[in-house]
Amino acid sequence: MLNLKEIRKDVDFFKKKLSLRFVNNSDSLIEELLNNDEKLRKCLEEQQELQNRRNSISKDLSIEKDRSVENFKKLSKEVSDIKSEISLLENNILKFQEIINNILFSLPNIPADDVPVSKDDTGNKEVRNSGSVKIFDFKPLSHEVLARQLDLIDFETAVNISGSRFVILKKDLAKLERALINFMIDVHTSENGYSEYNVPILVNEKSMFGTGQLPKFKEEQFQTNNNLWLIPTSEVSLTNMVADKIVKYEDLPLRFVACTPCFRLEAGAAGKDTQGIMRQHQFSKVELVSIIQPEFRIKELDRLLNCAEKILNLLKLPYRVMLLSSGDMGFSAEKTYDLEVWIPSQNKYREISSCSSCSTFQSNRMKARYKTIDNKNELLATLNGSGLAIGRTIIAILENYQNKNGSITIPDVLQKYMSKKLIDNI
RNA sequence: GGAGAGGUGGCUGAGCGGUUGAAAGCACUGGUCUUGAAAACCAGCAGUGGGGCAACUCACUCGUGGGUUCAAAUCCCACCCUCUCCGCCA
């Protein structure tokens, strides 16, 4: 969340920046925020003064109790009057605090300076392009058709045991998923400097709040009846590893990688991507998280992006890098690059990774801090990016590596993980 | 599931109604000593928020939330979490 103190210091800056994110009534929300903040502080001042008096009388009482019964009674009466005044103020304080929180929790991060301004994805900018896409001398089939032909996928049974937007991968396709996970994590740990973690995929409400999924995006999340939440991305677990901590300066940066199943309700996506495994309630994703001093965050974002890109390059999949516009970015992000992979059957690029800097937006919610060189506690910057989404990588491989006879060539770098070079009918 | 124990500052750990926001140790920072370092010694060192240009000052915080009391880390209640033993089990 945004830092209230900073908003106080430069209201116009925040109004301007928030307007770039097309938040409804952002100007009046900020006004309301500051208005209540001022009232809150006034009450706080009064309350603290009363508390001060209460405390000092209390101290006197500890002396008077052995001296004068009369004085003791008089002071006791005084202190109980003060107490009722305090509790009156406290009600107001809670009221103002709630208004402030409601606004503060709902405001998105402000965009970085070089983020293109646009209401939606039409304003996204292509940063670079990996080169030409493959030209087929036959009509490329969709991953769904290919996988069905090879008897490597079963939607019907998955629907029967779970419902729509679930899938069962079979045999070589199940193995391909496992191979991709191992391949990606191996690259990130041995070449990209990330440490591997195996993290919980059920998390508490505090963690979901910390990374920004709650309270605003409750309807997109799966919740258990024990007050736990299924993570929509391992960013939640990984980033929250520094929640409530004060990290030593010399321990930074922290770089984490994990692969977990991710769960998304896809409530707002009815009718979208209903064919194949493009949009599932459950999918695996390799996630990269960097925790770093805020001043290095943009450099770290470029690094993170490169780490994710490396996977696509190694798999020799055609892709492009998009810089997302202010209106298309996620709630917690200040700047986001999407990696989009070429999908032959759709004749377009589709998102396969999203790399974001969240500046101090999440750390402010999580109370994730570090000790500066001069021994001060400051908020950390958090970054995350997919490296990559496994389901969509499977789609990309099936479609881009398909042969005329319906077989699938296995990318060079995966052959040792698959112990074969070709997936075919036999 | 049954029976116990416990949650205190970056860490370890004392305190169990009244200058205790908290002893002691470790870690850390500064200083003395030293050619330099180590050791030793001296000093400093929790967080959040309010007020103030600042020095500083005030409030709140000893798992969380309530309660008792003039006064709570300390007593009571609820909840959360951790640990040990037994049972069950991947």
Side-chain angles (χ1 to χ4, degrees):
Chain A
M1 75 193 154
L2 300 175
N3 196 327
L4 184 52
K5 274 190 192 166
E6 315 249 308
I7 298 177
R8 245 185 244 154
K9 260 189 262 167
D10 197 345
V11 192
D12 292 336
F13 173 82
F14 279 90
K15 278 186 180 172
K16 198 178 116 210
K17 288 290 178 184
L18 273 177
S19 73
L20 301 181
R21 293 217 57 173
F22 305 95
V23 177
N24 277 340
N25 316 314
S26 60
D27 275 19
S28 59
L29 281 175
I30 294 276
E31 290 295 339
E32 199 187 337
L33 184 70
L34 290 176
N35 198 321
N36 281 281
D37 176 52
E38 209 163 298
K39 288 187 195 161
L40 174 85
R41 281 185 296 157
K42 209 165 238 166
C43 284
L44 223 47
E45 242 177 282
E46 259 181 82
Q47 192 205 31
Q48 289 181 3
E49 203 182 307
L50 289 168
Q51 284 170 327
N52 191 6
R53 264 173 60 201
R54 179 201 62 191
N55 290 346
S56 71
I57 294 176
S58 218
K59 262 175 202 168
D60 292 346
L61 274 167
S62 73
I63 301 162
E64 289 299 322
K65 73 177 180 347
D66 299 325
R67 278 197 197 157
S68 148
V69 181
E70 223 159 273
N71 271 349
F72 187 87
K73 280 193 172 159
K74 203 182 117 208
L75 290 174
S76 298
K77 171 81 172 73
E78 201 172 324
V79 102
S80 79
D81 288 348
I82 293 173
K83 275 169 72 179
S84 58
E85 275 183 76
I86 290 176
S87 79
L88 223 75
L89 280 166
E90 200 171 81
N91 286 339
N92 285 330
I93 288 169
L94 287 173
K95 199 178 76 197
F96 296 136
Q97 190 64 63
E98 198 190 332
I99 297 169
I100 289 168
N101 284 349
N102 282 342
I103 297 171
L104 216 48
F105 294 170
S106 73
L107 293 174
N109 202 353
I110 57 172
D113 289 340
D114 54 347
V115 167
V117 176
S118 165
K119 226 176 166 107
D120 52 41
D121 59 1
T122 56
N124 295 352
K125 284 219 168 77
E126 183 170 326
V127 175
R128 61 178 163 266
N129 190 303
S130 68
S132 55
V133 300
K134 187 176 172 185
I135 309 295
F136 291 90
D137 55 5
F138 56 93
K139 189 175 185 312
L141 301 173
S142 77
H143 70 280
E144 186 188 358
V145 171
L146 288 161
R148 278 189 194 275
Q149 281 178 4
L150 292 160
D151 189 30
L152 297 178
I153 203 158
D154 184 350
F155 289 100
E156 293 71 18
T157 306
V159 165
N160 191 236
I161 63 176
S162 295
S164 64
R165 294 207 192 276
F166 286 91
V167 70
I168 292 171
L169 303 183
K170 298 163 69 173
K171 305 173 217 174
D172 274 346
L173 211 51
K175 187 171 183 181
L176 181 62
E177 160 126 1
R178 199 155 47 85
L180 280 168
I181 293 168
N182 283 335
F183 159 66
M184 290 183 197
I185 292 182
D186 283 350
V187 171
H188 293 311
T189 53
S190 65
E191 296 177 31
N192 292 339
Y194 284 82
S195 306
E196 182 176 357
Y197 288 82
N198 194 305
V199 294
I201 59 178
L202 281 169
V203 300
N204 59 28
E205 192 170 317
K206 187 183 75 126
S207 298
M208 290 289 271
F209 174 81
T211 31
Q213 281 73 25
L214 293 179
K216 209 175 178 185
F217 305 100
K218 189 172 186 250
E219 64 290 339
E220 293 175 26
Q221 316 299 337
F222 283 97
Q223 188 182 184
T224 73
N225 55 13
N226 304 304
N227 250 332
L228 292 171
W229 302 73
L230 281 160
I231 55 172
T233 158
S234 27
E235 166 201 344
V236 177
S237 309
L238 288 174
T239 309
N240 273 287
M241 290 205 297
V242 291
D244 301 311
K245 296 218 166 116
I246 300 172
V247 182
K248 285 185 191 155
Y249 189 91
E250 58 269 29
D251 290 342
L252 295 170
L254 298 171
R255 297 193 176 105
F256 308 137
V257 59
C259 182
T260 68
C262 303
F263 300 90
R264 297 186 184 178
L265 221 34
E266 299 293 354
K272 238 190 230 171
D273 296 313
T274 50
Q275 295 298 299
I277 62 167
M278 185 62 86
R279 194 175 297 274
Q280 300 284 290
H281 285 315
Q282 175 187 335
F283 60 96
S284 296
K285 183 156 60 71
V286 172
E287 185 77 4
L288 304 169
V289 162
S290 295
I291 310 289
I292 198 164
Q293 299 90 327
E295 64 262 39
F296 303 132
R297 68 189 195 274
I298 293 304
K299 229 173 139 184
E300 183 68 14
L301 178 60
D302 288 337
R303 186 187 186 280
L304 180 60
L305 175 66
N306 278 320
C307 293
E309 256 183 278
K310 186 190 277 183
I311 301 294
L312 285 166
N313 284 323
L314 286 168
L315 290 170
K316 300 197 174 98
L317 289 169
Y319 69 93
R320 62 179 187 178
V321 181
M322 303 295 286
L323 176 59
L324 295 198
S325 75
S326 56
D328 201 29
M329 288 194 303
F331 181 69
S332 300
E334 61 160 343
K335 183 177 180 180
T336 299
Y337 292 105
D338 269 9
L339 291 177
E340 297 183 342
V341 71
W342 179 250
I343 303 295
S345 70
Q346 297 187 2
N347 207 37
K348 59 182 173 195
Y349 290 97
R350 296 296 306 261
E351 179 185 341
I352 196 169
S353 168
S354 192
C355 301
S356 302
S357 164
C358 298
S359 54
T360 57
F361 189 85
Q362 294 179 322
S363 61
N364 194 202
R365 295 174 151 243
M366 293 188 303
K367 303 266 169 299
R369 292 164 295 170
Y370 73 105
K371 279 261 186 242
T372 62
I373 304 175
D374 46 344
N375 226 26
K376 291 223 171 68
N377 298 331
E378 299 279 358
L379 291 173
L380 285 158
T382 61
L383 299 94
N384 64 79
S386 2
L388 311 159
I390 300 296
R392 293 194 175 178
T393 309
I394 288 175
I395 295 174
I397 288 173
L398 289 177
E399 296 202 9
N400 283 285
Y401 279 86
Q402 63 180 295
N403 301 308
K404 196 169 185 175
N405 67 1
S407 65
I408 314 292
T409 302
I410 294 172
D412 293 343
V413 289
L414 291 180
Q415 287 176 9
K416 70 169 179 186
Y417 291 95
M418 290 294 288
S419 313
K420 57 164 74 177
K421 295 182 173 181
L422 190 74
I423 300 175
D424 56 24
N425 262 332
I426 309 151

